[in-house]
Amino acid sequence: MWFKSLRVVSSSLILILSLINVITSQTFVRSKKYFDILYFASCIEYINISLLLLNSKTSYKWNRMIENGVLILECLADSDPGSEGRFLSHMFKLMKVKHQYAEVHTRYQLLALLKKSPFSLIHIATHGAMKDNKFLGFWTKDGNITAGLLKPLEGKLDGYSIISTACQSGDKKFRDEFIETTLCDNFIAPKGNPKFYNSIFFCHIFYHKY
């Protein structure tokens, strides 16, 4: 990139001036021309460092190359009446929508897949983990993903929209913490406990209208 060329120029100028400083008289070192060149080179170096810092903060987002499509992440329990995720996958094939389906078994797997989605929409099909009728987090076979376990996703979902059909995953506290931590663009989830067939019906309408 162009600022890399600036860095080469500024670094070269500073190196040359440093050599001059060593081999020439103190009279030259104090000359106005020397300090003007040194100031110019230092300014270029400062601008270059600032650009590198800016690039380091935003390069993660730039390098992901997010595509339009849907990543389906499903945690299936033995008692589930069917597979919402596979239904969606079949529907997207008919609609000719780019998508991927993954059956998830562990918390680590779900977090890892969320971080690496190639598509802008991420559909989470799982159960809401509940205690005393309060939403705790997303259910997986080896435990729940609560708000306190979202640290690996910090800032990683900027540019993505999350669609969850987990019961009560639209809980305000969890939703706000999820968005604040991950920086996702949208978090769409139910506040209630939708039946399996109602969840499928919602998905059918939502993705046709989206």
Side-chain angles (χ1 to χ4, degrees):
M1 297 178 69
W2 62 268
F3 59 83
K4 290 183 179 179
S5 299
L6 280 179
R7 189 176 192 187
V8 172
V9 171
S10 62
S11 299
S12 300
L13 281 172
I14 291 173
L15 177 60
I16 292 170
L17 292 174
S18 298
L19 291 172
I20 291 173
N21 186 36
V22 172
I23 64 177
T24 60
S25 65
Q26 291 298 312
T27 302
F28 180 84
V29 172
R30 295 191 188 97
S31 69
K32 185 177 184 301
K33 183 180 290 186
Y34 175 88
F35 285 110
D36 286 345
I37 297 172
L38 181 60
Y39 177 75
F40 175 71
S42 299
C43 287
I44 294 176
E45 186 70 8
Y46 176 78
I47 293 170
N48 181 69
I49 291 172
S50 299
L51 288 168
L52 286 175
L53 288 173
L54 175 64
N55 186 53
S56 67
K57 291 179 181 179
T58 58
S59 61
Y60 179 84
K61 185 176 180 179
W62 292 344
N63 290 337
R64 285 178 297 174
M65 298 179 64
I66 307 172
E67 291 187 71
N68 289 327
V70 187
L71 174 65
I72 308 162
L73 303 177
E74 182 170 46
C75 302
L76 285 168
D78 294 337
S79 59
D80 285 340
S83 170
E84 175 184 312
R86 290 189 176 92
F87 171 89
L88 287 175
S89 180
H90 180 67
M91 182 179 76
F92 291 141
K93 285 178 183 176
L94 296 176
M95 295 169 63
K96 297 182 179 179
V97 172
K98 289 184 178 180
H99 69 282
Q100 291 180 8
Y101 170 84
E103 184 175 344
V104 178
H105 300 279
T106 68
R107 290 176 293 180
Y108 174 81
Q109 186 184 10
L110 181 56
L111 291 171
L113 290 171
L114 280 168
K115 286 194 294 184
K116 297 179 179 179
S117 174
F119 301 124
S120 58
L121 297 179
I122 304 175
H123 185 101
I124 301 175
T126 185
H127 296 280
M130 310 292 296
K131 184 176 182 180
D132 299 328
N133 204 33
K134 291 183 179 180
F135 183 79
L136 300 178
F138 294 122
W139 173 87
T140 73
K141 290 183 177 180
D142 77 337
N144 306 321
I145 296 181
T146 61
L149 296 180
L150 295 174
K151 185 72 174 176
L153 299 178
E154 190 170 9
K156 296 294 192 299
L157 298 181
D158 186 12
Y160 292 93
S161 292
I162 307 299
I163 299 91
S164 165
T165 52
C167 289
Q168 298 192 33
S169 53
D171 173 79
K172 186 180 185 305
K173 185 173 184 296
F174 181 82
R175 180 194 66 208
D176 290 347
E177 290 181 351
F178 190 99
I179 294 173
E180 183 179 350
T181 301
T182 67
L183 301 182
C184 68
D185 291 2
N186 301 288
F187 185 85
I188 302 166
K191 292 182 178 180
N193 304 299
K195 299 290 186 182
F196 177 79
Y197 50 83
N198 287 331
S199 177
I200 292 292
F201 185 61
F202 161 77
C203 293
H204 177 77
I205 294 176
F206 175 81
Y207 287 112
H208 274 81
K209 295 291 185 180
Y210 186 82

